[in-house]
Amino acid sequence: MKKIRLRKVIFLLIALGVAAFIAYSILFPSGFDDGATYISYKEFYESVEQGSVETATLREKKIMFTKRNDSTVYATENPDSPLLKELLMRHGVAVHESVSVEKIIYKILDYSFYIIFFVVLFVLFKRFISPSTFRVVRKTGVTFKDVVGMENVKRDMTQVLDIMLHPENYKKRGIRMPKGILLEGAPGNGKTLFARALAGEAHVNFIPAKATDFESMFMAIGPAKVKLLFRKARKCAPCIVFIDEFDGIGTRRNYSGSAIETENTRIVTALLNELDGFQTASGILVLAATNSIHALDEALIRPGRFDARFAVPYPDEAARRKLVEMYSRKKTHSAECTSETLAKLFSGFSCAKIESVLNRASLIASQNGKDAFTLDDVRAAIMEQ
C-alpha cells in the first residue's frame, strides 16, 4: 500500500513538472514579443556610458530598459556578463533582476527530485531499520519434549535455564550465567528447534534472527541492526536472543579495505560492544548457531562473551528410531519398514535428512501407484539425496 502511494506521488510531481514546462513554452516563447523597441547592445552600452539610461531590468536573454525623460521601453540582448550589473549601478541606473518562469520551473524540478530522493531514501531506511525488523515471539509453543535426542545438551542447557530463572541463588555461590552460548553442529540437526524449546521451557520471550537480517545494500545498516536487536532485547527481558547462521556475520575480521569486509568488521565490532554492554543478571541470554566455529572471530568466542559451547550431534540410533516414528506417523509404510530397520539405514543422517528421505519415499510410492512405501522406495529416496 505504501509503495503504491509513493509511486503515485512521484508520478504526480513529474507530471506537474512536465505540464508546467510545456505551458511555459507555449505561453512564454523566447523573443522580443512584449512590445518593446529593440536596439543593439552597442547603442545600449553607449547610452549607459552617457548616463541617459534610467532603469534596467535584467532578464535571462534580454535587457529591458528606459531612458530619462522618455516613456519608451527599450530592449536589447543580455550578454550575461558578470560585470554588467556593476557597470549599470556605477552610472546611476536603477537595476532590477527578473527571474524567468523557466528558471522557476527548473528549480521546482530540482527540488522535486531532491524531495523524491530523500523520501525514497527514508522509506528504504525505515524498511531496513524498522522497529519491527526483529519480531518478539511471546510463546514458542515448543519444549524439550519436542526435541528428540541430544540428552547431554538438554542437561547442560537445563542448568543454564535454571541460572537464568534464579540468578540470585547462583550469585551467592559465585556462579554467573554465560553471556553467550554457541550451538555448533551440522545443518539440519535441530539447533533452531532447540533454541525455541529452551525459550518455551523458560517461558520467556524469544527473538529469532539470522545472518541475512543484518545484510543490506547500504553501509552501516548492519551494525545499526545489531544495536536495534539488543535494544529490543533489553526492553523485552527476560528473553532469549537467537542468531542463526552466525558464521555469516561473525567471521574473522579482515582489514583488506573492501566494502564487504569493512561492513563485516563493523558488525563484529558492534556485536562485541553489545555483548560487553549488558550484565549477566539482565535476563538476556544470547544463543548463536553455527556450522563452523573455526570461522568465527576469536574475539567473539573468547571467555566472557560466547563463553559456552554445546555441540549438537547427529542423532544416535535411539534418537533415529524416535525420529522415524515421528516423521512416519501420518505415512503408510510396509511391514518391513520398521523403526529399527530404518534407524540403521539412516546412520549418519541429520534430523532434516531423515524427514526429507521419508517424505520422498512416500512420493515415490505414490508415483508408482502404491499406497505404502517400501524399503526399495526408501533406498531410492536416499540415492536422490
Side-chain angles (χ1 to χ4, degrees), residues 358-376:
L358 290 175
N359 187 67
R360 182 59 187 159
S362 297
L363 287 173
I364 292 173
S366 178
Q367 290 171 359
N368 295 328
K370 296 184 292 185
D371 294 330
F373 66 82
T374 63
L375 275 178
D376 290 336

Side-chain angles (χ1 to χ4, degrees), residues 31-38 44 53-67 72-78 88 93-96 98:
F32 302 101
D33 53 357
D34 46 12
T37 302
Y38 172 76
F44 166 72
V53 177
E54 184 176 13
T55 64
T57 302
L58 304 180
R59 295 185 179 177
E60 185 177 8
K61 295 181 180 179
K62 57 186 176 180
I63 302 172
M64 309 293 293
F65 66 96
T66 59
K67 295 182 179 182
T72 306
V73 178
Y74 297 91
T76 188
E77 295 92 347
N78 187 348
L88 295 172
V93 179
V95 181
H96 305 282
S98 176

Side-chain angles (χ1 to χ4, degrees), residues 135-146:
R135 62 189 181 91
V136 180
V137 181
R138 305 295 178 184
K139 294 181 180 179
T140 62
V142 183
T143 64
F144 284 153
K145 293 180 181 179
D146 302 298

